[in-house]
């Protein structure tokens, strides 16, 4: 990953062809869903995707000489963690889970294997401490969402990356529905110096505006790069290109 550019995450990938299109197009993170969802994939498919993407991965970037800096704020913590991720060879493979047993998560991490885990349910942030790869923790945004300092959002030494996504009431399944939230809420987090991923209703057509308003570290798309419920290589490329131009 280029540490100076915004991160593009293509999520809900179900086929080798879609994964290769995302990797060839410059995606930084490829998400595969292991939770109940129309985009759920099995272990064999995930392993096939991992094997297909491996030759397309960039080499990791060596870190500069370590200069110890005391981290005292959430902004410093999440900035340091995001910088560590940008030095890894991309695309990174991320498994998406939602309120599932830790044992299942750990099994998928080992067997696929996965570079990242995304916790997309109501899991406690502390669960990330038991997962051996960096964790993206979702926080579902509605009108009552708070970015106050005492929020679980800012719990350090747990998840590595904050993901903001639209909250849907009355259903256990969250995400992948193509509905946006108020991007000015995300901007309040950016104004505190905290890097984060932003999802929810993003498309090639609106992602530049979303970045301009919300100022995320990266953006996450699933349904917005699909045609007839299947990943569309042209839309994937257009999305990544527009992220780079933002």
């Amino acid at each position: 990953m280029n540490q100076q550019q915004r991160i593009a995450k293509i999520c809900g990938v179900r086929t080798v062809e879609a994964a290769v299109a995302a990797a060839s197009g410059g995606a930084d993170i490829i998400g595969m869903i292991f939770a109940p969802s129309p985009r759920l994939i099995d272990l064999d498919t995930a392993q096939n995707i991992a094997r297909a993407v491996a030759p397309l991965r960039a080499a990791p970037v060596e870190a500069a000489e370590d200069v110890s800096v005391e981290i005292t704020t959430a902004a410093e913590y999440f900035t340091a963690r995001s910088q560590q991720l940008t030095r890894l060879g991309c695309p990174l493979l991320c498994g998406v889970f939602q309120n599932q047993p830790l044992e299942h998560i750990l099994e998928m991490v080992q067997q696929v294997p996965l570079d990242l885990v995304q916790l997309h349910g109501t899991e406690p942030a502390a669960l990330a401490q038991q997962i051996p790869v960096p964790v993206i923790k979702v926080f579902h945004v509605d009108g009552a969402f708070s970015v106050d300092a005492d929020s679980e959002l800012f719990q350090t030494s747990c998840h590595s990356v904050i993901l903001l996504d639209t909250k849907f009431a009355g259903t256990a399944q969250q995400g992948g529905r193509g509905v946006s939230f108020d991007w000015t809420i995300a901007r309040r987090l950016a104004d505190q110096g905290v890097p984060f991923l932003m999802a929810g209703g993003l498309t090639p057509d609106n992602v530049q505006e979303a970045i301009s308003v919300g100022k995320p570290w990266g953006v996450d798309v699933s349904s917005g790069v699909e045609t007839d419920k299947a990943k569309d290589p042209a839309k994937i490329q257009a999305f990544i290109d527009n992220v780079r131009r933002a």
Side-chain angles (χ1 to χ4, degrees):
M1 298 182 190
N2 183 329
Q3 295 188 49
Q4 303 304 314
Q5 69 186 18
R6 279 190 170 80
I7 301 304
K9 178 173 178 283
I10 308 298
C11 201
V13 170
R14 291 181 289 168
T15 66
V16 166
E17 292 75 17
V20 169
S24 301
D28 301 294
I29 303 172
I30 293 174
M32 299 178 289
I33 297 179
F34 298 99
S37 163
R39 301 178 181 87
L40 171 68
I41 64 171
D42 58 25
L43 175 60
D44 286 345
T45 302
Q47 289 175 327
N48 289 337
I49 287 172
R51 284 191 288 268
V53 167
L56 303 175
R57 296 183 72 156
V61 177
E62 287 191 21
E65 183 179 350
D66 182 42
V67 178
S68 296
V69 177
E70 184 179 2
I71 294 177
T72 60
T73 68
E76 292 169 345
Y77 169 80
F78 288 110
T79 296
R81 298 297 284 168
S82 64
Q83 289 174 346
Q84 289 173 354
L85 289 182
T86 59
R87 291 195 290 268
L88 301 178
C90 66
L92 303 177
L93 296 181
C94 178
V96 180
F97 303 88
Q98 184 172 313
N99 301 327
Q100 290 165 281
L102 175 63
E103 293 75 16
H104 177 60
I105 296 172
L106 297 179
E107 180 181 9
M108 293 299 104
V109 168
Q110 181 178 24
Q111 292 193 26
V112 175
L114 299 172
D115 303 298
L116 304 168
V117 160
Q118 180 173 315
L119 299 177
H120 208 80
T122 56
E123 303 91 347
L127 181 64
Q129 295 175 325
Q130 301 179 64
I131 298 172
V133 295
V135 170
I136 299 170
K137 177 73 176 81
V138 72
F139 294 88
H140 296 111
V141 180
D142 59 11
F145 185 76
S146 170
V147 295
D148 292 341
D150 59 352
S151 168
E152 188 184 37
L153 193 78
F154 299 111
Q155 190 168 333
T156 58
S157 302
C158 293
H159 47 285
S160 296
V161 179
I162 293 165
L163 169 62
L164 302 184
D165 198 0
T166 308
K167 183 175 183 177
F168 294 94
T171 177
Q173 183 184 327
Q174 298 289 327
R177 294 169 179 262
V179 178
S180 301
F181 63 87
D182 181 354
W183 297 326
T184 63
I185 296 173
R187 180 60 175 265
R188 296 205 296 269
L189 187 58
D191 288 345
Q192 296 182 47
V194 177
F196 59 92
L197 288 169
M198 188 167 76
L202 299 179
T203 70
D205 294 329
N206 70 9
V207 68
Q208 289 183 306
E209 180 185 1
I211 289 171
S212 176
V213 175
K215 300 297 183 184
W217 170 66
V219 286
D220 184 336
V221 66
S222 184
S223 63
V225 291
E226 293 179 349
T227 299
D228 297 329
K229 299 183 179 180
K231 289 292 184 286
D232 184 325
K235 289 183 178 179
I236 289 173
Q237 189 64 66
F239 183 87
I240 295 170
D241 288 347
N242 287 341
V243 171
R244 301 294 183 241
R245 295 188 186 108

